[in-house]
Amino acid sequence: MSKFILRRLLIAIPTLFAISFVVFAILELSPVDPLGNLPLTITPEEREKIREAMGANAPFHVKYAKWVVQFVINEPLNILEQVTGIKIGDSEGRLRYISYQTRSPIVDLVIQRLPQTLWVVGTAYLLSVLIAVPIGVLSAYKPYSIFDQVGTFFAIVGYSLPTFFTGLLFIIIFSVNLKWFPSVYDTTHRVTDMQSLLVQLRQIFMPTLVLALYFTAQISRFTRSSMLEHLNQDYIRTARSKGISERAVIMRHALRNSLIPVVTLVALGIPAIFQGAIITEQIFRVNGLGQLLILAIQGGDLPTVQALTFIFAVLIVIFNIVADVLYALLDPRVRLS
Amino acid sequence: MSTVANINDDTKETRARSLWQDAVKHFVRDRLTLIAFIVLVLMTLACYLAPPVLEDLLDVDATRTNTPASFTAPGVDRHVLGTDHLGRDQLIRLLYGGRVSLAVAYTSSIMIIFIGVSLGLLAGFYGGLVDDTITWLVNTLSSVPSTLLYIVIAAIWQPPVEWMIIILALLGWVGTSRLVRAEVLSIKEREYVLAARALGASDFRLLVSHIFPNLMSIVIVTGSIIAGNLILVEAGLSYLGVGVQPPTPTWGNMLTDSRTYFVQGVHLVIWPGIMILITVMCFYLVGDGLRDALDPHQSRHSKA
């Protein structure tokens, strides 16, 4: 098993390098001027100096090499130092990966923004898995029943509704007309006791629901088809003919097997939900990673955009491996091949 | 005697019907899919043909602003679906917006299918180094956060619609090629392909007349579902302000404006959203219906 994981990790390294190069190249070739937002009163000579100080003038390969060193070696070392408290080498003089816009290390920016995104995205995903799997199983147990038809209808609608439309509708209905939930996310809010937890839950309610509607639609359809496939197989008929209770047939035989692909889908979907959150964060003014990205793009802050894109790519690669490993763990047949 | 003749007649009739005739028959019987298909056709025709006629008929204009008449309610004063914050007629803008969205969906999905099927066919059929190269490309590309990359590319270069279509296609073919490759791998081991090969058929002939026809059903089904998805992607990009730029209307950027003005006119939120919902849903339903219609093994499911 560990050999399997190790091999997958080794294969991932060239992939990540290829991606990092592509991401870096695309952004380096872009016509965006990082000084575009600065006042026009700055003279061209001073602009040139600022550019020099930012390192924006360096040749492509130098920039790329610096970027790789900062991203692959320096930043992980910093995080390690912060977590363990052990100093490794010259930690003060180590170059950090710095944003053009705020002049602060990008990793710090990401760490500041991560909790908001995780609150919204995490709750939404958890919620949709909890809702979708039972719906999918019940739909498959009695296919083409009224429950299944209604489930199918809502799944198709949920899939076809763009999050920015449902988000706006929710704001109009629940914030403006009913005044139940706030339409703007308050980041300064801290959860300390029951009361503040309630406030937190209220403010993540709408973004979470919008995202959950979309994921639930996908996961429930997938669970249904996986379950349907297994319910028609011989071992289920055998189990039934042995006289096992229907409950045991479903829970112990069919469900366990049909959940294997669902688990992989859920793992594979995690990077996608971060991307899906970009629009949702924009609607509800949540200042998470998605908003950071949009602000960075608007400000011509190339290092931040590069870093975020690459972080997402790393997430995708990691969760691909996680999905493969989970699959192998859950399904012994996979390991043979 | 007569029963025997009847049986013979029946077999003759079933033999005479090809997969396509079967599919068409199934398709017509499947009400929901048929309705979805008709709605899509009507929507496309409306977007491409109706605007000039309506402009004459109702004396409205998509670009002419008329601020005193802003936020007119639907149905008032020739504006069937009301006007926006600049007094432009919403119905006309929705139809023009539909042109862009549908153009992106149709052309980009065709390009995705073309790239995905060609590379999937090559990888699955030839195996070896060709397969390894294409598979590596597919795996690498699928680790690229595509939605994010669309946003970044669109924001930085602000490409015109034509380029957006190409970029969407270049980043979107991975899933299709994977699907096709897997399908080709199983088809090329079937007896009829082996038989054709034994008879001395060339690679080209095998690919074109034995393997490709069997891919048609997944190609059409995924094409339809991808088209729906592209509508969502385009709308999302335009909503974020990095897709199609105003004043060219699209359903996505019409919703961006309405985020600010929904208090004055809820119709500005509802109608673009409903257009997106209906179109995506119809593409999905058509794809789903075609899956049943084109797959003889699955047709019993829909009858059960």
Side-chain angles (χ1 to χ4, degrees):
Chain A
M1 197 65 217
S2 53
K3 215 173 157 187
F4 176 77
I5 300 175
L6 192 71
R7 219 183 61 209
R8 286 304 317 262
L9 283 174
L10 286 178
I11 295 174
I13 292 172
T15 311
L16 280 177
F17 265 104
I19 295 169
S20 78
F21 186 78
V22 170
V23 167
F24 194 84
I26 285 181
L27 287 163
E28 277 307 314
L29 292 174
S30 75
V32 166
D33 181 8
L35 303 183
N37 279 354
L38 292 183
L40 288 169
T41 46
I42 300 175
T43 59
E45 295 83 52
E46 281 171 40
R47 268 177 200 272
E48 206 47 42
K49 276 185 196 155
I50 297 176
R51 224 178 284 260
E52 199 86 22
M54 279 173 154
N57 272 348
F60 180 80
H61 58 275
V62 173
K63 273 194 195 168
Y64 181 63
K66 268 168 91 177
W67 186 66
V68 170
V69 169
Q70 286 165 350
F71 217 93
V72 178
I73 301 169
N74 292 2
E75 292 299 348
L77 274 179
N78 281 337
I79 293 172
L80 197 73
E81 282 184 1
Q82 272 171 16
V83 174
T84 57
I86 307 165
K87 290 259 179 272
I88 307 160
D90 176 22
S91 56
E92 301 297 314
R94 196 178 291 141
L95 275 180
R96 300 203 65 185
Y97 195 45
I98 299 213
S99 151
Y100 279 169
Q101 239 177 348
T102 62
R103 309 300 298 154
S104 57
I106 291 163
V107 173
D108 295 356
L109 288 179
V110 169
I111 289 171
Q112 282 167 12
R113 301 260 180 167
L114 195 60
Q116 290 84 279
T117 301
L118 281 183
W119 259 108
V120 173
V121 167
T123 342
Y125 209 45
L126 207 67
L127 192 73
S128 41
V129 172
L130 289 179
I131 298 173
V133 171
I135 290 181
V137 170
L138 283 176
S139 302
Y141 185 59
K142 286 203 171 133
Y144 307 102
S145 63
I146 291 176
F147 181 82
D148 183 30
Q149 303 278 9
V150 172
T152 307
F153 176 74
F154 277 106
I156 294 175
V157 171
Y159 165 84
S160 312
L161 272 173
T163 47
F164 44 88
F165 179 48
T166 29
L168 281 176
L169 281 185
F170 280 13
I171 288 180
I172 293 172
I173 297 171
F174 294 117
S175 296
V176 178
N177 288 334
L178 297 173
K179 298 192 170 57
W180 285 354
F181 302 103
S183 72
V184 175
Y185 187 92
D186 174 15
T187 325
T188 53
H189 179 71
R190 292 275 164 276
V191 179
T192 46
D193 51 5
M194 266 323 270
Q195 196 64 36
S196 59
L197 182 71
L198 269 179
V199 174
Q200 173 70 6
L201 288 180
R202 262 183 60 181
Q203 72 171 348
I204 63 167
F205 181 80
M206 287 204 300
T208 302
L209 203 64
V210 165
L211 277 173
L213 188 69
Y214 187 68
F215 301 139
T216 309
Q218 289 181 325
I219 301 172
S220 72
R221 294 319 290 165
F222 195 77
T223 313
R224 176 181 179 273
S225 65
S226 169
M227 189 78 182
L228 258 184
E229 200 176 295
H230 281 275
L231 277 175
N232 284 331
Q233 298 212 338
D234 290 343
Y235 71 86
I236 296 296
R237 198 177 45 205
T238 313
R240 282 209 177 111
S241 59
K242 275 199 303 189
I244 303 177
S245 73
E246 191 60 22
R247 193 188 154 76
V249 170
I250 299 300
M251 299 302 280
R252 224 182 303 144
H253 294 254
L255 186 62
R256 281 193 189 177
N257 276 309
S258 35
L259 279 188
I260 294 171
V262 176
V263 168
T264 25
L265 180 88
V266 168
L268 284 176
I270 289 175
I273 58 172
F274 281 100
Q275 297 187 56
I278 295 172
I279 289 178
T280 315
E281 285 182 2
Q282 199 67 10
I283 304 168
F284 294 100
R285 310 283 191 254
V286 182
N287 60 345
L289 290 177
Q291 206 199 31
L292 180 65
L293 178 84
I294 300 289
L295 287 178
I297 289 175
Q298 285 167 353
D301 187 357
L302 295 183
T304 310
V305 180
Q306 279 161 344
L308 283 173
T309 318
F310 190 65
I311 288 173
F312 277 104
V314 172
L315 276 180
I316 295 179
V317 170
I318 289 176
F319 280 103
N320 276 340
I321 297 176
V322 168
D324 277 2
V325 170
L326 275 177
Y327 206 92
L329 277 177
L330 294 173
D331 194 340
R333 285 167 297 183
V334 175
R335 260 172 281 176
L336 296 173
S337 56
Chain B
M1 222 17 224
S2 64
T3 44
V4 174
N6 277 343
I7 292 167
N8 278 343
D9 278 354
D10 278 356
T11 47
K12 234 178 237 162
E13 201 185 58
T14 35
R15 222 177 268 153
R17 273 192 290 141
S18 73
L19 172 72
W20 294 105
Q21 283 165 311
D22 256 350
V24 170
K25 211 171 170 189
H26 187 104
F27 195 79
V28 174
R29 226 184 290 138
D30 187 355
R31 285 279 164 73
L32 191 62
T33 315
L34 193 66
I35 292 172
F37 183 72
I38 292 172
V39 169
L40 266 186
V41 172
L42 288 180
M43 178 96 81
T44 315
L45 287 179
C47 288
Y48 280 91
L49 302 179
V53 182
L54 277 178
E55 275 171 341
D56 278 353
L57 208 66
L58 297 169
D59 187 31
V60 287
D61 195 303
T63 46
R64 190 182 60 213
T65 56
N66 179 18
T67 5
S70 57
F71 305 117
T72 309
V76 176
D77 195 21
R78 299 191 318 275
H79 299 295
V80 182
L81 295 181
T83 59
D84 68 358
H85 61 290
L86 295 174
R88 295 172 293 191
D89 184 71
Q90 186 171 219
L91 176 64
I92 292 292
R93 276 173 63 76
L94 280 176
L95 292 175
Y96 276 117
R99 279 190 188 181
V100 182
S101 301
L102 288 170
V104 171
Y106 287 130
T107 36
S108 221
S109 62
I110 288 172
M111 284 163 81
I112 286 176
I113 289 297
F114 182 77
I115 306 175
V117 171
S118 334
L119 289 181
L121 261 179
L122 288 179
F125 188 73
Y126 287 107
L129 193 63
V130 180
D131 187 19
D132 287 344
T133 317
I134 293 174
T135 308
W136 184 82
L137 192 67
V138 166
N139 284 339
T140 309
L141 257 181
S142 61
S143 309
V144 171
S146 54
T147 315
L148 207 132
L149 213 56
Y150 293 139
I151 297 176
V152 171
I153 294 177
I156 288 175
W157 273 286
Q158 298 180 338
V161 183
E162 299 80 25
W163 274 98
M164 209 173 121
I165 289 171
I166 295 174
I167 295 168
L168 284 171
L170 286 180
L171 288 171
W173 56 271
V174 174
T176 316
S177 115
R178 227 181 227 165
L179 204 69
V180 169
R181 176 180 169 270
E183 195 70 14
V184 171
L185 280 181
S186 91
I187 292 175
K188 78 168 180 185
E189 299 302 327
R190 303 238 173 101
E191 282 86 352
Y192 60 86
V193 177
L194 295 177
R197 197 192 284 277
L199 287 170
S202 67
D203 280 357
F204 182 75
R205 196 182 157 76
L206 281 179
L207 278 173
V208 171
S209 58
H210 294 283
I211 295 180
F212 185 69
N214 286 295
L215 291 172
M216 281 310 279
S217 70
I218 44 168
V219 166
I220 294 174
V221 172
T222 47
S224 177
I225 289 170
I226 286 172
N229 210 12
L230 282 167
I231 298 258
L232 285 178
V233 172
E234 184 275 321
L237 289 178
S238 298
Y239 176 80
L240 286 175
V242 298
V244 179
Q245 296 301 318
T248 310
T250 73
W251 297 335
N253 69 25
M254 290 173 76
L255 274 172
T256 320
D257 293 339
S258 64
R259 167 77 165 91
T260 329
Y261 300 113
F262 62 72
V263 180
Q264 287 98 319
V266 181
H267 60 279
L268 295 176
V269 176
I270 307 238
W271 288 104
I274 284 183
M275 294 298 270
I276 299 174
L277 171 66
I278 290 178
T279 318
V280 179
M281 207 154 90
C282 286
F283 273 120
Y284 184 85
L285 287 174
V286 168
D288 209 42
L290 283 174
R291 194 199 320 268
D292 286 346
L294 291 170
D295 189 349
H297 305 296
Q298 269 202 341
S299 51
R300 67 196 140 89
H301 272 302
S302 54
K303 276 174 206 156

